[in-house]
Amino acid sequence: MHVMRTPKGEMKTSLKKGAWSLEEDRKLIAYINRYGIWNWSHMPKYAGLLRSGKSCRLRWMNYLKPGLKKGSFSKEEEQNILHFHSILGNRWSAIARKLPGRSDNEIKNYWHTTLKKRVTNNPVLKGSKQESMNISQSIESDNDEKLDQEDVNHANEINFSWTSKDDNYTPKDNQVEFIADIGSPGTVEDLQYFWKELYPLEELEERNIDEDMFLDHIFQDSYDHTITPWSFYNDEYDITSTSI
DNA sequence: AATACGATCAACCGCAATGCT
DNA sequence: GAGCATTGCGGTTGATCGTAT
């Protein structure tokens, strides 16, 4: 479990690490769907996740974000990665911006597992890479400016382009629709509604109480501002006591 | 059938950049 | 400008799975 004792015997939560469960994905998607991305560091507790903001961000960016492609890279994508890598080097995020629907992590993995060997074993590709590296310096600053603008466009796209009908959307259990980036933690009333919608009372009662989130409630007093579905049903949560 | 090995990929970690007070 | 919080990035790790022995 993610409950520990300090040397003084006080109860303390530790953040969860490792693979994300379907339940956690569902919470993250539902929360961002409703409130948008307003602050990665603070958002996990409002979303009922025992994760670091970093972990949430990574999960969202690399796996849950609307519009992400999954599955094998096409020939064209491969060519693009090789091409842009020859110009940009290991600047994975910059390369990712050139390949819509692919995350930097995915491209980086694909490079290390597949493409790197191909380039190393192919003198022609190797040579063209060297040549490209030489000219890359001169165009780099220009590229950066363009990429910055693309960042803005990309962000705008994400917020408004996706619906649950997207073929590439992976998690099957999340029948939520991405509306827009609202960008706020929500009011107490909002959050109460959010939780009650996400976990209808009947469903909540049927659930196994052992689940991480719900167990936390047992130690509620030991935690600082831990939020659970229960706290909303019992009107325990006071948002004014939490600093953002 | 058991296990050793390599490939894959999700996730972590540390650090740098940026923003805010 | 200092100090702190937050975000973003790239290198790396480790769990898992398929294949070979």
Side-chain angles (χ1 to χ4, degrees):
Chain A
M1 236 323 273
H2 316 290
V3 181
M4 307 189 304
R5 283 184 188 276
T6 64
K8 289 180 180 175
E10 296 157 335
M11 296 299 252
K12 209 179 176 181
T13 42
S14 66
L15 293 176
K16 196 185 168 196
K17 287 185 183 180
W20 278 65
S21 67
L22 190 64
E23 190 67 32
E24 289 175 305
D25 281 347
R26 190 182 171 200
K27 285 174 191 166
L28 184 58
I29 291 170
Y31 187 84
I32 293 178
N33 177 35
R34 185 171 288 269
Y35 299 108
I37 298 161
W38 53 279
N39 182 311
W40 284 115
S41 298
H42 293 284
M43 173 241 272
K45 69 181 174 188
Y46 289 88
L49 289 160
L50 287 168
R51 293 273 181 175
S52 68
K54 244 180 161 178
S55 179
C56 292
R57 180 186 165 273
L58 199 74
R59 183 64 180 168
W60 177 257
M61 295 301 204
N62 291 331
Y63 200 77
L64 301 174
K65 189 170 76 176
L68 280 178
K69 283 183 199 167
K70 286 286 157 192
S72 325
F73 283 81
S74 68
K75 277 277 165 219
E76 195 188 347
E77 285 176 314
E78 253 181 36
Q79 289 304 314
N80 282 334
I81 295 171
L82 287 167
H83 171 67
F84 289 118
H85 185 269
S86 73
I87 296 170
L88 300 165
N90 293 359
R91 293 170 62 192
W92 307 115
S93 63
I95 297 173
R97 276 176 228 132
K98 301 289 187 185
L99 281 92
R102 298 293 187 178
S103 72
D104 52 358
N105 210 33
E106 203 178 5
I107 293 169
K108 181 172 59 183
N109 281 335
Y110 190 58
W111 170 263
H112 285 303
T113 57
T114 310
L115 297 179
K116 189 163 77 176
K117 296 165 206 157
R118 207 178 294 173
V119 171
T120 317
N121 297 334
N122 186 329
V124 178
L125 283 171
K126 218 175 171 180
S128 68
K129 176 180 162 61
Q130 191 55 53
E131 203 174 300
S132 302
M133 289 296 274
N134 292 338
I135 61 167
S136 70
Q137 295 295 328
S138 61
I139 59 172
E140 201 155 289
S141 58
D142 187 40
N143 268 344
D144 280 345
E145 271 176 39
K146 282 179 190 160
L147 289 172
D148 287 347
Q149 185 50 50
E150 280 165 19
D151 274 344
V152 174
N153 297 340
H154 188 65
N156 289 338
E157 256 172 48
I158 291 161
N159 289 342
F160 301 108
S161 66
W162 179 80
T163 74
S164 58
K165 296 177 191 73
D166 193 318
D167 291 337
N168 295 315
Y169 184 60
T170 324
K172 298 172 187 69
D173 217 29
N174 307 301
Q175 302 303 319
V176 291
E177 197 149 331
F178 194 76
I179 304 162
D181 187 345
I182 293 158
S184 86
T187 63
V188 182
E189 291 75 20
D190 276 348
L191 282 164
Q192 283 176 340
Y193 181 75
F194 166 67
W195 276 105
K196 287 176 182 178
E197 195 178 43
L198 186 59
Y199 295 105
L201 192 55
E202 317 81 62
E203 194 190 330
L204 199 63
E205 283 168 349
E206 283 169 16
R207 276 170 191 276
N208 184 350
I209 198 76
D210 280 349
E211 282 188 38
D212 298 351
M213 265 301 302
F214 304 154
L215 233 183
D216 287 345
H217 175 73
I218 297 166
F219 304 109
Q220 183 79 33
D221 291 342
S222 309
Y223 300 160
D224 290 338
H225 314 306
T226 299
I227 303 166
T228 70
W230 295 108
S231 55
F232 282 124
Y233 282 107
N234 298 330
D235 293 321
E236 284 172 4
Y237 183 62
D238 175 13
I239 201 165
T240 57
S241 65
T242 306
S243 59
I244 300 172

